[in-house]
């Protein structure tokens, strides 16, 4: 049976066919759909959204030690969070096969950086596999588990945004029913005390030698000889781009098993071509190792190391070819990302931005858009959890320097469970002059509405214990935890003012569900402008709702976008905005 599948769908299918029985992840673009598709096989695979990537990895590692084939999936920055257990497990080795999927994001379509996670495999001394299309995503997963168990190693399965989200035809196979490996207590192997780890490191170095030998004969690496004037070494989607540009005018060494690199195969290929190019996205990961082996090649001298590659970039860099483009006499209206109409975060950010000297440290999620015009409410966005922790650092710097005023730190509900709790503990424990704010919209929003520990449902759709954000904050010592509807601007403003004046620890939880959550009742009323009353003051534009704009010199609300949150109505001082549909 053949099916059109994205790379993420094919990875999920590959896990199913490989006999995986436990999978864990934290959602993050471009990896999210892997677990969302694994639940299609819930009769065979237990899957979960973990609170963060470190926990997801440790769950999958534990399942591997327990004898199951397991998988953990995350985006590239998630591997930073999971690095601690990954590096240790690479020393210890597996029982059941273990694969960690890293979905890198060249050009930062949905990320704060574009780090190249291939270096993690080299750094952690674990095997690495890179597919170049959806069929390989499925097939290579099965080989990844075979390699993991045969060579006693975790496997890093590296994909990128273009592989994750592009679709191609996949030939489906049957599930391999893999027997569970027996669990045997093995303290020298699985207890990473210094004495055991010292011996484990020696085993790792021997394993890498065996893996390089495998790499040189691996079916995942293949030579395609055509015109031998040009030889191209590539992997992943960059191979597809190179093939599109050069076709049969070049020969190719396509590397699917990318750590350890097949150096003997590379030397053989280099000796059979006249000019050797290494085409890879982002960093010169392969190029560095190839040049270190004394093999002459050209790579980042011509191929850019910034951003996502495409065929046009490669053609321009290597063939000096510029594609003809057409320019239109049209200046498109810029459309920067903004908070959705009716977003519950808007009321908070509008309120907090009214005093321009407030410092508000932000985080990763929909609410990062609070930094956009016209709200411009956030001062920082670093990584998940830093909305609290970085705010704590700023508050302490202000204390030392004598600068007055409290810092407000912002995280969402999912981020609070991911890495915000520890920052909240730091604030109350070390007496930070700041206010942690949890924007609870009842869902993990930015990545497409996944459940989290505060929603009362698991990834597999089962009802479960709903972790109470307010209860957690009270339990860790906050004297006051104020719950407020952020779309009630009077209540929101009173709460912010109260928080600024508080002399004891004070936290805020804004509670209002994301308007896009499935199953919510449709709004009973919408907002509309009485154009006769509109004074053209443009105050309504300051809330940053995309449903509001000026038309013929007066404010106008697009009814198809309005969800009746009433924030604009509360902002208008001339009663020019009212409700319809009551």
């Amino acid at each position: 049976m053949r099916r059109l599948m994205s790379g993420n769908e094919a990875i999920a299918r590959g896990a199913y066919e490989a006999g995986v029985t436990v999978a864990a992840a934290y959602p993050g673009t471009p990896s999210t759909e892997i677990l969302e598709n694994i639940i299609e096989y819930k009769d065979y695979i237990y899957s979960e959204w973990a609170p963060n990537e470190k926990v997801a990895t440790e769950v999958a590692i534990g399942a591997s030690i327990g004898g199951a084939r397991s998988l953990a999936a995350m985006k590239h920055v998630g591997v930073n969070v999971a690095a601690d257990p990954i590096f240790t497990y690479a020393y210890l080795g597996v029982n059941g096969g273990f694969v960690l999927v890293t979905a890198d994001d060249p050009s930062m379509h949905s990320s704060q950086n574009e780090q190249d996670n291939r270096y993690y495999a080299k750094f952690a001394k674990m095997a690495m596999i890179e597919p170049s299309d959806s069929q390989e995503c499925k097939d290579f997963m099965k080989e990844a588990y075979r390699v993991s168990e045969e060579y006693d190693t975790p496997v890093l399965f590296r994909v990128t945004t273009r592989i994750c989200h592009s679709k191609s035809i996949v030939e489906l196979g049957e599930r391999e029913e893999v027997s569970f490996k027996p669990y045997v207590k093995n303290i020298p192997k699985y207890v990473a005390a210094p004495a055991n780890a010292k011996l484990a490191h020696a085993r790792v170095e021997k394993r890498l030698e065996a893996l390089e030998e495998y790499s040189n004969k691996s079916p995942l690496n293949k030579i395609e000889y055509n015109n031998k004037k040009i030889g191209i070494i590539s992997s992943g989607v960059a191979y597809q781009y190179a093939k599109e540009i050069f076709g049969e005018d070049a020969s190719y060494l396509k590397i699917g098993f990318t750590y350890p690199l097949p150096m003997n195969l590379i030397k053989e290929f280099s000796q059979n071509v006249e000019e050797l190019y290494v085409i890879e996205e982002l960093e010169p990961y392969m190029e560095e190792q190839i040049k270190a082996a004394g093999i002459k090649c050209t790579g980042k001298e011509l191929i850019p190391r910034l951003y996502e590659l495409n065929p046009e970039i490669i053609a321009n860099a290597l063939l000096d070819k510029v594609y003809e483009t057409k320019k239109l006499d049209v200046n498109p209206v810029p459309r920067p990302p903004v908070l959705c109409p009716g977003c519950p975060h808007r009321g908070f950010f509008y309120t907090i931005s009214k005093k321009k000297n407030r410092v508000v440290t932000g985080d990763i999620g929909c609410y990062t858009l609070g930094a956009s015009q016209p709200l411009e409410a956030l001062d920082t966005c670093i990584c998940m959890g830093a909305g609290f922790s970085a705010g704590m650092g700023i508050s302490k710097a202000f204390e030392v320097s004598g600068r007055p005023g409290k810092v407000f730190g912002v995280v969402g509900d999912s981020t609070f469970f991911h890495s915000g709790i520890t920052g909240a503990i730091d604030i109350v424990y070390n007496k930070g002059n700041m206010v942690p704010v949890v924007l609870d919209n009842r869902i993990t929003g930015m990545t497409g509405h996944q459940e989290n520990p505060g929603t009362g449902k698991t990834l597999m759709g089962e009802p479960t214990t709903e972790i109470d954000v307010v209860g957690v904050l009270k339990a860790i010592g906050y004297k006051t935890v104020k719950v407020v509807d952020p779309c009630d601007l009077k209540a929101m403003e009173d709460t912010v003012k109260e928080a600024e004046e508080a002399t004891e620890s004070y936290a805020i939880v804004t509670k209002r569900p994301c308007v896009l959550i499935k199953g919510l009742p449709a709004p009973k009323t919408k907002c509309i402008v009485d154009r006769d009353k509109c004074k053209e003051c443009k105050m309504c534009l300051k809330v940053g709702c995309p449903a509001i704009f000026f038309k013929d010199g007066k404010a106008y609300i697009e009814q198809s976008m309005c969800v009746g949150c009433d924030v604009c109505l509360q902002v208008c001082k001339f009663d020019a905005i009212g409700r319809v549909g009551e």
Side-chain angles (χ1 to χ4, degrees):
M1 182 178 175
R2 306 174 79 206
R3 190 188 297 177
L4 186 65
M5 303 181 91
S6 70
N8 282 344
E9 290 172 311
I11 289 169
R13 179 71 189 191
Y16 162 75
E17 291 186 12
V20 169
T21 52
V22 176
Y26 182 80
T29 306
S31 71
T32 306
E33 297 83 9
I34 297 170
L35 264 284
E36 287 183 332
N37 280 281
I38 278 181
I39 58 173
E40 204 178 302
Y41 312 106
K42 62 183 180 181
D43 290 341
Y44 304 90
I45 304 174
Y46 163 79
S47 58
E48 68 170 50
W49 289 130
N52 64 30
E53 296 88 354
K54 180 177 183 289
V55 173
T57 302
E58 289 162 347
V59 167
I61 285 173
S64 168
I65 293 171
R69 284 190 169 183
S70 65
L71 176 142
M74 59 205 65
K75 68 183 292 172
H76 61 293
V77 288
V79 181
N80 301 335
V81 180
D84 197 359
I86 290 167
F87 274 66
T88 301
Y89 203 44
Y91 264 37
L92 303 183
V94 306
N95 187 19
F98 169 77
V99 172
L100 177 87
V101 180
T102 171
D104 291 8
D105 191 19
S107 281
M108 301 165 282
H109 298 287
S110 306
S111 309
Q112 64 267 48
N113 71 13
E114 55 175 356
Q115 69 191 42
D116 190 333
N117 275 8
R118 292 179 296 174
Y119 287 98
Y120 263 115
K122 192 169 185 291
F123 194 11
K125 301 179 183 291
M126 60 195 289
M128 179 166 62
I129 288 173
E130 291 187 72
S132 65
D133 60 24
S134 296
Q135 183 70 57
E136 290 185 353
C137 282
K138 182 188 79 75
D139 294 343
F140 284 17
M141 281 295 285
K142 293 192 276 189
E143 181 68 2
Y145 283 99
R146 192 194 69 77
V147 167
S148 177
E149 291 175 352
E150 181 175 336
Y151 292 91
D152 196 20
T153 180
V155 175
L156 189 69
F157 197 89
R158 193 243 185 183
V159 286
T160 59
T161 302
R162 204 58 49 188
I163 296 295
C164 291
H165 292 160
S166 295
K167 293 198 173 191
S168 59
I169 297 293
V170 176
E171 187 83 36
L172 303 185
E174 297 299 320
R175 177 173 169 85
E176 179 186 353
E177 292 300 342
V178 181
S179 58
F180 284 84
K181 298 287 190 296
Y183 173 74
V184 179
K185 186 171 183 174
N186 190 340
I187 291 174
K189 179 169 183 175
Y190 291 119
V191 177
N196 295 335
K198 187 174 181 179
L199 297 174
H201 189 186
R203 291 197 299 272
V204 167
E205 298 303 328
K206 286 186 178 180
R207 175 212 294 159
L208 288 175
E209 292 176 9
L211 281 169
E212 184 171 352
E213 187 178 331
Y214 161 79
S215 184
N216 282 297
K217 61 185 181 183
S218 171
L220 308 186
N221 301 327
K222 62 178 182 177
I223 292 176
E224 303 170 15
Y225 282 122
N226 299 302
N227 188 329
K228 294 185 179 180
K229 283 190 174 182
I230 295 175
I232 293 171
I233 297 175
S234 197
S235 65
V237 76
Y239 161 78
Q240 305 286 8
Y241 298 151
K243 198 81 183 286
E244 184 173 332
I245 292 301
F246 288 95
E248 294 189 357
D249 292 333
S251 294
Y252 305 90
L253 171 51
K254 177 183 177 297
I255 303 182
F257 191 87
T258 45
Y259 190 74
L261 285 174
M263 296 311 301
N264 290 341
L265 195 63
I266 290 169
K267 287 174 184 174
E268 175 195 326
F269 182 71
S270 69
Q271 290 164 0
N272 285 290
V273 297
E274 295 179 26
E275 190 76 26
L276 183 63
Y277 295 102
V278 180
I279 300 178
E280 54 189 329
E281 272 185 333
L282 301 182
E283 300 300 319
Y285 164 80
M286 293 191 294
E287 179 189 341
E288 287 174 338
Q289 296 178 70
I290 292 168
K291 286 180 174 176
I295 300 169
K296 184 181 177 183
C297 64
T298 300
K300 293 303 173 185
E301 298 95 329
L302 299 176
I303 301 293
R305 68 194 300 167
L306 294 177
Y307 316 133
E308 192 174 33
L309 289 182
N310 61 42
E312 186 177 347
I313 291 170
I314 293 171
N316 181 249
L318 300 184
L319 300 177
D320 225 8
K321 181 178 179 181
V322 178
Y323 287 90
E324 182 183 349
T325 58
K326 290 187 177 181
K327 291 186 179 179
L328 301 176
D329 295 328
V330 174
N331 290 321
V333 177
R335 299 244 180 225
V338 294
L339 297 170
C340 299
C343 176
H345 306 325
R346 178 171 282 106
F348 168 77
F349 283 125
Y350 174 77
T351 301
I352 207 77
S353 66
K354 289 174 74 173
K355 279 177 67 174
K356 295 301 179 186
N357 64 337
R358 285 186 178 123
V359 174
V360 185
T361 51
D363 218 291
I364 307 295
C366 296
Y367 44 89
T368 310
L369 297 172
S372 302
Q373 293 180 332
L375 297 166
E376 296 182 306
L378 294 183
D379 292 60
T380 66
C381 175
I382 303 166
C383 65
M384 295 191 74
F388 285 178
S389 307
M392 175 63 171
I394 291 175
S395 75
K396 288 300 179 183
F398 287 175
E399 283 182 38
V400 173
S401 65
R403 185 189 189 280
K406 281 188 176 177
V407 174
F408 286 79
V410 175
V411 304
D413 49 323
S414 184
T415 305
F416 178 73
F417 297 118
H418 179 283
S419 48
I421 293 175
T422 47
I425 291 171
D426 186 53
I427 293 164
V428 73
Y429 172 62
N430 287 304
K431 302 179 180 180
N433 187 30
M434 70 168 291
V435 180
V437 183
V438 180
L439 305 180
D440 186 356
N441 64 352
R442 313 297 297 151
I443 203 72
T444 308
M446 180 66 88
T447 49
H449 284 198
Q450 292 77 36
E451 306 295 345
N452 68 55
T455 66
K457 282 187 179 179
T458 69
L459 168 63
M460 299 176 77
E462 299 168 345
T464 187
T465 301
E466 182 179 316
I467 311 301
D468 178 27
V469 174
V470 175
V472 171
L473 288 167
K474 287 180 178 179
I476 62 179
Y478 283 87
K479 299 297 183 185
T480 300
V481 180
K482 191 65 175 285
V483 179
V484 61
D485 178 351
C487 290
D488 183 342
L489 296 188
K490 174 68 166 61
M492 192 73 256
E493 191 156 353
D494 290 346
T495 300
V496 168
K497 184 177 179 182
E498 189 178 289
E500 285 184 310
E501 295 172 353
T503 57
E504 294 185 309
S505 57
Y506 193 111
I508 298 172
V509 178
T510 68
K511 273 190 178 289
R512 191 178 177 100
C514 170
V515 295
L516 298 177
I517 293 176
K518 291 179 181 177
L520 287 182
K524 293 181 179 179
T525 63
K526 296 188 176 187
C527 293
I528 192 169
V529 177
D530 184 336
R531 294 169 69 79
D532 293 332
K533 290 183 179 180
C534 178
K535 304 296 183 184
E536 305 170 29
C537 68
K538 299 187 177 179
M539 278 297 294
C540 56
L541 296 183
K542 293 184 182 296
V543 303
C545 177
I548 306 172
F549 52 93
F550 262 54
K551 183 177 180 180
D552 301 325
K554 299 279 188 176
Y556 180 82
I557 297 174
E558 174 55 52
Q559 293 300 290
S560 64
M561 298 173 71
C562 179
V563 297
C565 70
D566 288 356
V567 169
C568 61
L569 184 151
Q570 297 170 71
V571 166
C572 181
K573 298 183 183 301
F574 302 103
D575 295 325
I577 299 177
R579 298 185 187 91
V580 291
E582 291 180 291

